[in-house]
Amino acid sequence: MSPEVKKGILLAPYTTFGIGGAAEYFAVASSEEELTLLAKYAREHNLRVSILGEGSNLLVSDSGVKGLVIKNEIKGITHKAENEKVLVTAGAGEGWDAFVLRTVETGWWGLENLSAIPGTVGATPIQNVGAYGVEVGNLIEEVKVYSLREQKFITMKSDECHFGYRDSIFKSEAGKDLIVVSVTYSLSTAPNPQIHYKDLAEYFSDHTNEPSQKEIRNAVVLIRSKKFPDWRQLGTAGSFFKNPVISTEHYNELTKQYDGLPGYPAGDGTIKVSLGWILDKVCNLRGARTGQVGTYENQSLVLINYGGATAVDVNAFAESVKEEVFKKTKILIEMEPQRW
Ligand SMILES: Cc1cc2nc3c(=O)[nH]c(=O)nc-3n(C[C@H](O)[C@H](O)[C@H](O)COP(=O)(O)OP(=O)(O)OC[C@H]3O[C@@H](n4cnc5c(N)ncnc54)[C@H](O)[C@@H]3O)c2cc1C
């Protein structure tokens, strides 16, 4: 039976920002079959399809979204073990952090550094979710998608997903019609602690033994709790801007002016610079606020909706941050969440 399609459902409560108008049409897909039925419905009614996970990386416009919004709730976790390698497949609608916790409790190494990130499994390949020195794209074996254009399921190998920094094929024109239904991660029963990232290295600096998987997860959860607000209490989509990647020449110029600007080689003669540092030290924007929108007092990359802010308010505030950064550094910064 086809899932119920509702009209005019307000999207704000479905996003962690707590912002956004109504979806023209709205439905929940709990299985691959329901998803294909909804895709057929959209085709027959000539509706554009947008896929919603837990809305933790979205800024939805105040006027809402035309077409059919499908909330992906396809669940299920299976695994195949081969010596130390474990291929774990999770339905796109599984909650990400509960899934990570399960892999940690089972002793499957790989995802522990990505603990405490909100959202669903299905959204992790979209922006190649990353944190604390690990990017999910490096652990993804394959992604099963439903192609709206070809009207069929396709399995894509990791290299076909074109993972980059907060980027993948799913954000490009070529991948916009692909709906993720499940993701297979390549994990390992052999310990492989990744604690080179500054905050984790500092946390474990007095440890004589290699930390366990649980210790790494607990450390990440603790460090994150100091940097990010609790999205269940305060409206936010996490880091609102990406760390910019600039040429080495540009970086060298900036360090003459701003001594200590952190930068990390990002390949092909480019440097990824810390936008948080620029917002704090160069633009003095930590905790800045206009009306109900501002940067978070513990981490200026994070924008906050203090209650009742609109998408127009957030865009205006973000624009003012962008201008200030450009004025001081000639860097054009980009927004991280998807705009609907
Ligand atoms: C407090 C906080 C901290 C965060 N920290 C991090 C972090 O450390 N690292 C990081 O990378 N991100 C972080 N994020 C951003 C966010 O949690 C992730 O991007 C997450 O993967 C989004 O999942 P979601 O299910 O909420 O996606 P949504 O916000 O619902 O959707 C995001 C985009 O993905 C698309 N999408 C979602 N599911 C599917 C699917 N099944 N098929 C096709 N397209 C789909 C949507 O259409 C939309 O374009 C943070 C967010 C918050 C609020």
Side-chain angles (χ1 to χ4, degrees), residues 15-18 54-57 96-97 115-119 224-225 228-238 296 302-305:
T15 71
T16 56
F17 236 143
E54 285 176 5
S56 64
N57 208 26
W96 175 249
D97 194 47
S115 292
I117 298 176
R224 291 184 69 97
S225 71
F228 290 96
D230 181 348
W231 68 92
R232 299 167 204 93
Q233 311 283 337
L234 213 51
T236 182
Y296 185 50
V302 173
L303 293 199
I304 302 288
N305 166 12

Side-chain angles (χ1 to χ4, degrees), residues 162-304:
H162 302 162
F163 292 119
Y165 168 58
R166 297 291 184 273
D167 203 16
S168 73
I169 192 168
F170 307 107
K171 285 171 92 173
S172 72
E173 258 334 289
K176 280 244 159 98
D177 75 307
L178 302 175
I179 301 173
V180 176
V181 294
S182 67
V183 184
T184 301
Y185 303 89
S186 179
L187 307 180
S188 173
T189 52
N192 183 20
Q194 299 289 322
I195 52 166
H196 52 279
Y197 196 85
K198 190 168 151 275
D199 294 352
L200 281 176
E202 275 169 17
Y203 185 93
F204 288 113
S205 59
D206 56 357
H207 270 231
T208 41
N209 298 329
E210 275 197 340
S212 71
Q213 219 184 347
K214 281 185 189 132
E215 283 173 320
I216 296 176
R217 174 174 166 88
N218 292 343
V220 170
V221 170
L222 186 76
I223 294 166
R224 291 184 69 97
S225 71
K226 294 183 181 149
K227 295 212 165 158
F228 290 96
D230 181 348
W231 68 92
R232 299 167 204 93
Q233 311 283 337
L234 213 51
T236 182
S239 298
F240 194 84
F241 301 105
K242 294 189 202 178
N243 282 313
V245 177
I246 61 176
S247 68
T248 307
E249 295 75 47
H250 192 170
Y251 175 71
N252 291 340
E253 265 319 296
L254 287 174
T255 50
K256 283 184 206 151
Q257 212 179 342
Y258 306 115
D259 190 27
L261 170 64
Y264 312 92
D268 296 333
T270 61
I271 306 281
K272 193 202 279 183
V273 292
S274 163
L275 182 60
W277 194 94
I278 293 174
L279 297 180
D280 286 356
K281 309 251 193 279
V282 177
C283 302
N284 198 21
L285 283 171
R286 167 97 63 118
R289 179 169 171 174
T290 306
Q292 293 305 88
V293 186
T295 58
Y296 185 50
E297 59 198 10
N298 293 348
Q299 155 77 287
S300 38
L301 278 184
V302 173
L303 293 199
I304 302 288

